[in-house]
Amino acid sequence: MVNDRGDTGARATGGAGYALLVAAAPGGRQRFMDAAGALHQLAAVPPAALLGTAGGASVVQLVDPADPQTVLTHLRTAAAHEGPVLVYLAGQLTVDTKQRLPHLALARTTPRTARYTALPWHWLAAELARRPEGSTTVLVDLVADETAWPRLSDPLLAGRLLAAGLTLYGSLAPAPPKRRTAAPLYSRAFAAALRGTAEDAPFALLHERAVAEAGLGGGPELLFDGSAAAVEAPAVEAPAAPLAGAPHQPAPSEPGGGVTRVAEGAVTRVADGGAEAEWAVPPPRPQQAPTPVAALPPPPAAAEQAPPPGAVSDPHAAIFEAAHAGRHSEAASMAAAWEQEALRSAGPRSGEAIHWMEVRADLARLADDPARACELWMAVADARLGNGEAADDPDVEGAVDRAHHQWQYVQDPARAQALAPFLISLRGRVPGRRPGALEAVRRRAEILEAASRTG
């Protein structure tokens, strides 16, 4: 477990802290937690009490964001910050219907569209893995819906899927019965602990006090205590030890803090995050080495050695855990092996083959290869259209939107120019739901063409 004492790490550097507070949940009957109420508890705490350095702190709030790319943009801003960072997430987890991976539900999320309207948890882990060890804390107050709780109620699997590679504190509980909304008990208690504890109190102590004050011991909920494992909550007198067999998270080589208390500083508040230009070209992503996490069994040495799909119940967790650990070649090899098996058993345009192409596209994104990710998402869209799927089908629109988004990150002008014609063709067939998308691709393609002529 990362040492997060308040007297070490960023406090000594004098850098500014950064807190990103996200409260998200679907509307109507799909809302299982008063996420905005949870955020209000922490937003009322002075910035100096959330995290800190002598240089002050900035606090950014996202209330009921609707677009996962908007949340991802803010996560990247937080990940690029040089000082200590706190990311707070309140709301509910769901799993997508294909990969069965956890997602944070957003304002427009439904069970059918979770893959495209919710924030994949592995995006969060991948962005924060780039940060220096011990500089980041993630605080959560979450419920899991009926699709997610059967998987995440297992402490070992929850630790692997949610806590691996992160310094994670908080609570995860099953969603309440229908027509009821869960109260943010952990957030209220944690905010009270922040207001009533000495300024140098570590997050581990604040977490213990919040658990005790909220009365979370002994229920079905899982608690995250800053280690790489989720622990059940039969007692609150002392922090639970990591579960046997859970992934090991290496300790820092010297005492280092997660996020501690800070001096008073300026506060920046953002209500929704909708002000970003929808198709603006983003800055280059930070290139820090990811934090290693637990070792995994070796993947198939080559595609022909891949196990048949029935031999492994769910390879996705191992693949994405390898990717989050920076073992991108290993993750890509495992995914390619499963794709080859799908090609042999079901055919090149089968649902299984397309699924593994989507996995490879997401792995390319995690490996900071946006050009390859763009190529793969365009191939996915082309395959789906070739299968007769409608241009407004969420799977087709999602593939083209993701190809477009990754294309914006391609920094090599020649590579971006080479990808543009096919992307323009796809955008002509699949305009998507954001106005001006096709024009944005054409405009950048023209700029790239003009630059190549003058260069």
Side-chain angles (χ1 to χ4, degrees):
M1 183 170 67
V2 176
N3 184 327
D4 66 344
R5 297 183 314 174
D7 58 348
T8 61
R11 176 180 291 276
T13 69
Y18 190 96
L20 174 61
L21 311 181
V22 181
R29 296 180 180 179
Q30 298 297 322
R31 184 182 292 259
F32 300 129
M33 172 179 266
D34 179 16
L39 182 142
H40 294 158
Q41 304 296 322
L42 283 184
V45 176
L50 283 175
L51 76 164
T53 61
S58 295
V59 178
V60 175
Q61 299 181 50
L62 290 179
V63 182
D64 282 334
D67 184 1
Q69 299 295 342
T70 296
V71 183
L72 181 61
T73 298
H74 283 280
L75 281 172
R76 286 174 174 163
T77 300
H81 185 73
E82 293 184 357
V85 167
L86 170 68
V87 176
Y88 166 76
L89 301 171
Q92 61 199 61
L93 294 181
T94 187
V95 297
D96 65 286
T97 57
K98 293 192 176 181
Q99 296 183 10
R100 309 300 296 171
L101 293 175
H103 290 57
L104 179 69
L106 303 182
R108 291 200 298 260
T109 299
T110 66
R112 181 171 178 264
T113 64
R115 294 183 68 213
Y116 308 109
T117 60
L119 178 76
W121 190 269
H122 57 267
W123 287 13
L124 166 77
E127 296 303 326
L128 298 184
R130 306 170 188 279
R131 291 184 48 77
E133 203 167 23
S135 66
T136 312
T137 297
V138 179
L139 184 68
V140 299
D141 194 348
L142 301 168
V143 297
D145 69 13
E146 66 276 7
T147 69
W149 184 248
R151 298 199 75 196
L152 299 179
S153 59
D154 177 359
L156 179 57
L157 186 56
R160 293 184 65 190
L161 291 177
L162 301 179
L166 298 174
T167 302
L168 180 65
Y169 293 94
S171 171
L172 172 65
K178 291 182 179 180
R179 298 185 179 88
R180 295 185 61 184
T181 302
L185 300 178
Y186 180 85
S187 295
R188 292 174 183 170
F190 198 94
L194 281 169
R195 289 191 291 264
T197 308
E199 289 192 1
D200 59 352
F203 265 75
L205 175 61
L206 294 168
H207 170 76
E208 289 181 36
R209 293 187 176 182
V211 168
E213 178 67 23
L216 296 178
E221 65 274 350
L222 299 180
L223 302 176
F224 299 92
D225 65 354
S227 68
V231 295
E232 295 174 288
V236 296
E237 289 81 3
L243 192 68
H248 168 66
Q249 180 167 327
S253 57
E254 59 182 357
V259 181
T260 61
R261 311 299 203 81
V262 296
E264 193 72 51
V267 184
T268 302
R269 301 205 180 269
V270 177
D272 191 320
E276 291 91 345
E278 288 187 324
W279 297 111
V281 179
R285 298 169 66 175
Q287 298 295 323
Q288 292 170 300
T291 303
V293 295
L296 291 169
E304 61 269 20
Q305 296 177 337
V312 178
S313 59
D314 183 5
H316 297 90
I319 290 171
F320 281 100
E321 190 171 352
H324 296 161
R327 303 193 302 277
H328 298 295
S329 296
E330 176 183 328
S333 296
M334 286 192 284
W338 283 89
E339 182 183 21
Q340 289 300 315
E341 178 64 29
L343 291 171
R344 283 194 297 268
S345 62
R349 287 202 169 177
S350 63
E352 294 88 341
I354 291 174
H355 164 71
W356 285 108
M357 201 185 309
E358 292 173 330
V359 172
R360 291 174 57 219
D362 208 23
L363 292 174
R365 178 190 65 82
L366 293 175
D368 279 324
D369 190 350
R372 183 60 177 153
C374 175
E375 289 175 339
L376 288 166
W377 280 117
M378 289 194 296
V380 168
D382 186 60
R384 290 190 176 280
L385 289 169
N387 283 347
E389 296 183 36
D392 61 353
D393 186 280
D395 287 339
V396 177
E397 286 187 336
V400 178
D401 285 347
R402 291 182 176 187
H404 186 167
H405 183 75
Q406 289 300 312
W407 183 67
Q408 294 179 106
Y409 282 97
V410 179
Q411 301 295 315
D412 181 356
R415 192 82 185 274
Q417 189 175 358
L419 293 169
F422 192 22
L423 183 58
I424 290 173
S425 174
L426 282 174
R427 268 298 179 211
R429 300 165 67 188
V430 187
R433 305 192 182 192
R434 294 181 176 183
L438 176 59
E439 290 74 14
V441 180
R442 286 175 171 164
R443 185 164 55 251
R444 188 187 178 202
E446 291 170 358
I447 293 172
L448 292 168
E449 175 68 21
S452 68
R453 290 174 184 166
T454 59

